[in-house]
Amino acid sequence: MSKSDTAEFRPDWRFWIIYVSLFLISFAAAVDNTIVFTALPSITQAIGGGGQYVWIANSYVVASTAIMPLFGQISNIFGRRIPSIMAVAVFALGSGISGGAHDIAMLIAGRTIQGIGCGGIFVFLDIIVCDLVPLRWRGQYLGPIVGAAGLGSTMGPVIGGALVKESWRWVLYITLPFSGLALVVMMFFMKLQYTPELSWRRRLMRIDIPGNALFVASVGAILVGLIMGGTIYPWKSYRVILPIAIGFAGWAAFSLYQLSPRWCPEPTIPPRLFNNRTSAIGFVLSFLSGMLLEWIVYFYPLYFQALQGASALKSGVNTLPFNACLMPAGIAAGTLMTKTGIYKPLHAAAYALTAIGLGLTATLKTSSSIIAWVFFQLILAAGIGCTFVTILPAIQAGLPESDVASSTSLYAFFRGFGFIWGVTIPSLVLNSHVDRGLHTISDPFVRDRMSNGGAYEFAAHGNIQRLPREGRSQVLDLYTGALRLSWLASIAFALLGFILVLGEKHIKLRKELNTEFKMEEVKMADKEHSEANGASTPNAADVDVRDTTLHA
C-alpha cells in the first residue's frame, strides 16, 4: 500500500488559528449580506432615498458576484496572503463608509465596496482551505466554513433588527470587529509559501484586464436587469430586457475571447476547467445548489407570513429548523466523503432529498401542522447542506492543484449567480399566477396592491391578516395556489441536478497535497516547543507526506 493511501491529515496549531479566523470572517461577511433587510426603513428615513432602497442591498450582491473570477486569477499571480488581506481590508473600508454615510449615494458606494471585499473573502476562504487541506479531507473542513456563512445569513436580519433600535449605523459597523480580528490573525499567522518569479510590473501585466472588464460588465448587466425586473420596472419593460440581453451577449463574447490563446494568453476562466466532464457538471450543480438554497430561504418566510399570518420575526424563527441543520448536514456529508472517498452517491442523495423536500413543501396549506413544516425543512437542510461541501472537491478531483484558485473562484461565482436566479424565477412564477387569478379578488384596492409584481411585498407586510374575512379567504386561496406552483417549479431544478449527477465519474480524491501555496515550514523552535509539550515525533512516512503538503 502506498504512502498516499495510508497518510492522514494532521493540522497543527497554526492551521487552527487561521481556520478560526476564516470561520469568523465567513460569518461576518454573510451577516453583512442580509443584515440591512430589516434596517432599510430606518436607513431610508434617516438619510432619504426611499426610492433607491433596492440598490442599498443589491449593489452589494452585484459587486460581490461579478468580481469573483478576477480574485481567482489575482491569487495565482500575487499569491494568497496579500490579496486575501486586501479583500478583508476593502470589506472593512466599505463597512466604515456605509456606516458613516450621510446620503444615499455614499451608502450605495459603501455597500458596493463592501460587496467587492465580500466577493474576495468568499473566494479566498475556499482557496485557502483548499491550499491547506488535501482533497480527500476538504469536505470535512469546508463544512464549518460554509455553515458559518449560512448561520450568518440567517442571523443577519435578526441582528439588524436588534441593532437598528439603537442606531442604524451600528447595523453597518458591526462587521468591523470581526474584520479587524481576522486581519490581525491573517497578518501574523497566515504565512503561506509563495515565491514570485516576476517583478510587480510583470505580474500586473499578467492580469486579464480586457477579459475581466468584459466579464464584470456583462454579469453586472444581467444582475442589474434581474434585480430591476418586477421591483423597479415590469419584466416586459425594455429597461429590464435590454441589460439582460446585452449581458448574455457580452458573456458569449467573453467566452470566445477566453478561447483565443493569441488574444488571451492567460485567461481568467481557463477553458480547460470544462474539459473534464465531472468538473463541468460540478459547476452546473453549484449553480443549482445556490439557486435552490435562495429559493427556500426566500419563499419559506413568505409561506409563514402569507398563509399563517406570522410576523417577519416569527417567520424567521419558524425557518430555524432549516437554517440550524444546514451546518450539521454539511459537516456530516463532508465527514462521510472523507471516510469513504466518494462523492457521486452523496450528490445523488442530496438532490433526491431536495426534490422530495420541495415536493412535500408544495403540499403546505394554511392548516398545515408545525410537525409537517419542521420535518420538510429538515429534509431540505439535509439535501442542500450536503451539496454545499461536496461539490467543490468533486470539481477539483479531475483538475491539477494548479487550478485550485481558478476552479474555486468559478465555483463561488456560479453559486452566487444561482442566488440571484433563486429569487428571480420563483418571483416570476408567483407574480404570474397572482396576476392571472386577480379576477377572484373582489376588493379593487387589494387587486391593485397585488398586481404587477406586488404579491410578495403585499404578503410580507402582514396586509392579508388585516383584510375582512371574505376578502382574506379569497387572497389566501390565491396565495396557496401561487406558492404551490412555485414549489412545484423548484422540483424541476432539483431533478435536473439529480440527472446531471448520473453523468459524473468517480475520481479518486487525492490524499497528497502538491501546491506551491502551502504553509511555510515550521521553524525548529516551534518543533522543539511541540515536542516539549508532549507531541510525538512523526514517523518517516508522515514526514514525507507532510513535507509535500502542509508540513503540519
Side-chain angles (χ1 to χ4, degrees):
M1 186 176 292
S2 67
K3 294 177 182 178
S4 64
D5 290 333
T6 59
E8 293 294 330
F9 173 62
R10 301 171 185 174
D12 66 1
W13 63 272
R14 296 177 305 155
F15 170 89
W16 287 114
I17 291 177
I18 295 172
Y19 188 78
V20 170
S21 71
L22 297 179
F23 184 94
L24 291 175
I25 197 62
S26 174
F27 175 81
V31 165
D32 200 66
N33 197 16
T34 59
I35 197 171
V36 299
F37 293 156
T38 52
L40 279 177
S42 299
I43 293 174
T44 54
Q45 183 179 4
I47 62 175
Q52 297 174 291
Y53 76 95
V54 172
W55 299 113
I56 297 175
N58 288 307
S59 59
Y60 186 99
V61 175
V62 173
S64 63
T65 304
I67 205 75
M68 284 179 172
L70 171 60
F71 282 114
Q73 186 176 56
I74 287 176
S75 69
N76 279 331
I77 297 173
F78 295 95
R80 315 307 201 214
R81 184 173 182 270
I82 293 177
S84 60
I85 290 175
M86 290 181 64
V88 177
V90 169
F91 178 73
L93 174 63
S95 300
I97 294 174
S98 300
H102 51 73
D103 57 39
I104 194 68
M106 184 176 177
L107 179 58
I108 293 175
R111 290 290 292 171
T112 302
I113 294 172
Q114 275 185 300
I116 293 173
C118 179
I121 287 171
F122 280 129
V123 169
F124 287 118
L125 285 174
D126 288 343
I127 290 177
I128 291 172
V129 171
C130 292
D131 282 338
L132 300 182
V133 180
L135 184 61
R136 179 69 174 261
W137 287 270
R138 281 176 196 168
Q140 183 175 339
Y141 287 88
L142 286 171
I145 298 293
V146 173
L151 180 63
S153 296
T154 304
M155 295 298 296
V158 178
I159 295 173
L163 290 175
V164 76
K165 296 178 180 179
E166 180 65 29
S167 171
W168 67 265
R169 297 188 184 278
W170 282 107
V171 172
L172 299 163
Y173 283 145
I174 188 62
T175 55
L176 286 174
F178 293 96
S179 302
L181 180 60
L183 281 173
V184 170
V185 172
M186 294 167 77
M187 286 191 291
F188 286 97
F189 294 98
M190 196 171 72
K191 307 293 186 179
L192 303 179
Q193 291 185 3
Y194 173 63
T195 306
E197 299 178 358
L198 302 173
S199 65
W200 274 88
R201 179 176 175 275
R202 295 290 299 275
R203 279 182 280 169
L204 285 171
M205 292 177 63
R206 288 178 57 190
I207 299 176
D208 178 20
I209 295 177
N212 279 291
L214 182 57
F215 183 82
V216 171
S218 301
V219 173
I222 294 171
L223 296 179
V224 166
L226 294 176
I227 290 167
M228 291 193 302
T231 55
I232 301 177
Y233 302 108
W235 281 103
K236 60 184 178 181
S237 170
Y238 76 92
R239 293 182 177 89
V240 174
I241 297 174
L242 187 60
I244 294 176
I246 292 175
F248 276 110
W251 196 344
F254 165 80
S255 300
L256 293 175
Y257 172 76
Q258 297 286 283
L259 289 168
S260 173
R262 177 183 177 185
W263 296 103
C264 185
E266 191 164 349
T268 302
I269 301 177
R272 64 178 178 272
L273 297 179
F274 300 93
N275 292 340
N276 179 279
R277 186 176 73 194
T278 299
S279 300
I281 290 174
F283 290 125
V284 181
L285 293 179
S286 67
F287 171 81
L288 294 173
S289 176
M291 174 195 289
L292 292 170
L293 172 69
E294 200 69 7
W295 202 311
I296 295 165
V297 170
Y298 191 67
F299 264 66
Y300 244 106
L302 182 63
Y303 160 72
F304 293 120
Q305 293 171 24
L307 300 190
Q308 296 206 344
S311 64
L313 179 60
K314 182 66 180 299
S315 66
V317 173
N318 288 349
T319 57
L320 281 177
F322 175 77
N323 293 305
C325 291
L326 271 177
M327 181 162 62
I331 294 174
T335 302
L336 186 58
M337 186 173 67
T338 295
K339 296 295 184 182
T340 62
I342 60 174
Y343 50 82
K344 186 174 179 178
L346 291 174
H347 292 171
Y351 283 96
L353 284 172
T354 302
I356 292 171
L358 293 170
L360 292 171
T361 300
T363 66
L364 290 176
K365 303 175 182 178
T366 56
S367 58
S368 296
S369 66
I370 295 177
I371 295 176
W373 50 258
V374 167
F375 179 65
F376 299 166
Q377 287 185 62
L378 294 178
I379 295 175
L380 289 171
I384 296 295
C386 179
T387 65
F388 261 48
V389 298
T390 60
I391 291 177
L392 181 57
I395 290 173
Q396 296 174 340
L399 300 172
E401 292 292 340
S402 57
D403 281 332
V404 159
S406 298
S407 60
T408 301
S409 62
L410 189 58
Y411 159 79
F413 163 75
F414 275 118
R415 185 177 62 185
F417 196 55
F419 291 161
I420 305 296
W421 289 97
V423 175
T424 300
I425 295 177
S427 296
L428 282 171
V429 175
L430 176 80
N431 290 321
S432 176
H433 183 87
V434 168
D435 286 344
R436 288 196 305 269
L438 283 176
H439 66 277
T440 63
I441 308 299
S442 58
D443 190 328
F445 176 75
V446 174
R447 289 201 303 267
D448 182 67
R449 291 285 304 276
M450 293 173 60
S451 63
N452 298 322
Y456 190 98
E457 184 178 0
F458 182 80
H461 286 80
N463 294 306
I464 297 177
Q465 306 309 314
R466 292 193 289 267
L467 295 174
R469 182 174 181 179
E470 181 180 356
R472 183 166 66 248
S473 177
Q474 294 171 350
V475 172
L476 287 175
D477 288 342
L478 185 56
Y479 272 97
T480 300
L483 285 171
R484 180 175 181 273
L485 186 61
S486 176
W487 292 120
L488 290 175
S490 67
I491 298 173
F493 293 99
L495 291 177
L496 174 61
F498 181 82
I499 293 171
L500 288 174
V501 168
L502 301 180
E504 289 183 319
K505 292 177 60 178
H506 172 69
I507 302 174
K508 185 178 180 181
L509 299 178
R510 301 180 294 274
K511 289 187 174 182
E512 67 279 1
L513 184 62
N514 298 312
T515 175
E516 62 177 305
F517 301 103
K518 62 185 178 180
M519 194 178 292
E520 287 184 355
E521 299 291 329
V522 179
K523 295 180 181 180
M524 185 58 66
D526 291 334
K527 293 181 180 179
E528 292 174 354
H529 176 77
S530 298
E531 293 175 1
N533 283 277
S536 61
T537 302
N539 60 41
D542 289 335
V543 171
D544 183 74
V545 172
R546 286 195 296 273
D547 282 346
T548 62
T549 57
L550 283 179
H551 200 79

